[in-house]
Amino acid sequence: MAAPLIRCRDLTRVYRMGDNEVHALQGVSTDIAEGDYVAIMGPSGSGKSTFMNMIGALDRPTSGTLEIDGERLDNMKPDQLAAFRGRRVGFVFQQFNLLPRTSAVENAGLPLIYAGIEAAERKARAEARLKQVGLGERMDHQPSQLSGGQQQRVAIARALVNDPAILLADEPTGALDSQTSEEILDIFDQLNREGMTIILVTHEAEVAEHAKRQIVFRDGEIVEDRS
C-alpha cells in the first residue's frame, strides 16, 4: 500500500499569549492520500486554520510529527519551510491578492520569479495555467478589468504554476456570489479528477459537499472524519 502524501501524528500547537497558553491543536493524527479532496470544517477557533498552516508549511507544530511527500516538516527551520512551501504547495485565499497594475499572465507567473525561472518559461507556464482555468482570452487584462470570479481564476492559475503536490484553498468562494462560487468549485472538481490533491477550508456545507472527504475540527481536535 502506498504511503500517504500527508502523514500527521499527535500534532499539537500551543501559542503563548502573556501568561496564558492557547492549545490550538491537541494531538491531531490523520493521513491524506495523494489525489484526495478533503474539506476541513469547524467553527472559528476550532483549529482548522492552524492545521492548514501546518500543511502549508506556514507554521510548525509544538510537538508531533508531520511528513509531506516523504519530507519531515516538524523539524524544519523557517527558511527550509519557505523553500518547501514554494516547491510543493499552492495557495488560494478568499481575497485574491493580485498585484493591481499587473496583467493576469504576470500575476499568474509571480511564484516562478521567486523560483528563479527565466522570463520566457515563466510566461509559457503562466499562459498554460490561465488557459486551464478558462482565462485564455483575458491574459493581458489587469485585475480591475476582471470580475471577481475571473480574478479568483488568476489566483488559482498562480497557485498551480509551480506544479505543487498540494493545493490549499482557504474559503476560496467566500467573496463570490453563489453562481460564480459554483464555477470556481467546478474548477477544483476538475483539477481533482486530473489527480491534484486538494485541501479546502470552509464554513459552508454546500462547498464541503464537493470534497470526497470532510474532516471536522472542534477545540483543537478532529471530532469527525467522513467520506
Side-chain angles (χ1 to χ4, degrees):
M1 188 175 174
L5 179 67
I6 300 169
R7 186 176 184 273
C8 309
R9 291 294 177 270
D10 300 316
L11 292 185
T12 72
R13 185 66 173 98
V14 181
Y15 297 102
R16 287 176 176 80
M17 307 174 83
D19 294 332
N20 297 323
E21 287 188 347
V22 177
H23 293 262
L25 289 182
Q26 306 197 60
V28 168
S29 297
T30 191
D31 291 339
I32 295 174
E34 185 173 1
D36 209 347
Y37 186 176
V38 181
I40 306 293
M41 304 181 73
S44 296
S46 62
K48 64 183 188 299
S49 294
T50 302
F51 180 72
M52 192 196 82
N53 288 343
M54 301 283 172
I55 303 298
L58 292 164
D59 195 7
R60 283 184 306 186
T62 303
S63 66
T65 60
L66 171 61
E67 194 174 292
I68 299 180
D69 212 11
E71 296 189 61
R72 282 278 296 274
L73 271 67
D74 50 274
N75 50 16
M76 282 186 182
K77 296 180 174 68
D79 58 334
Q80 294 173 312
L81 283 173
F84 179 88
R85 204 163 55 236
R87 285 185 287 113
R88 308 304 286 146
V89 187
F91 292 92
V92 181
F93 298 102
Q94 179 172 336
Q95 305 304 326
F96 319 124
N97 300 325
L98 303 179
L99 297 180
R101 287 177 292 281
T102 306
S103 69
V105 73
E106 290 168 323
N107 265 295
L110 270 178
L112 300 177
I113 294 177
Y114 306 123
I117 305 297
E118 59 98 23
E121 187 183 344
R122 275 204 314 268
K123 187 168 186 285
R125 285 169 63 174
E127 286 179 348
R129 289 304 193 178
L130 285 168
K131 287 174 184 171
Q132 185 180 4
V133 299
L135 275 188
E137 307 298 312
R138 297 280 190 278
M139 292 193 195
D140 296 323
H141 289 54
Q142 295 181 4
S144 61
Q145 300 168 305
L146 300 171
S147 69
Q150 289 169 336
Q151 290 183 61
Q152 190 61 298
R153 287 170 190 256
V154 176
I156 293 168
R158 180 184 60 198
L160 295 171
V161 79
N162 260 345
D163 301 321
I166 302 162
L167 184 64
L168 277 181
D170 190 2
E171 302 282 1
T173 61
L176 304 172
D177 63 67
S178 55
Q179 182 182 337
T180 308
S181 295
E182 279 301 315
E183 292 169 2
I184 294 300
L185 291 168
D186 286 345
I187 293 173
F188 287 133
D189 294 348
Q190 181 60 35
L191 288 168
N192 181 248
R193 283 194 291 272
E194 293 166 3
M196 174 63 65
T197 306
I198 300 176
I199 300 174
L200 174 78
V201 176
T202 183
H203 284 93
E204 300 177 59
E206 316 86 76
V207 173
E209 282 169 8
H210 281 257
K212 297 173 181 172
R213 178 180 171 197
Q214 289 99 32
I215 298 177
V216 182
F217 279 77
R218 188 168 293 118
D219 299 327
E221 298 178 320
I222 293 175
V223 295
E224 206 172 337
D225 185 343
R226 58 180 184 259
S227 296

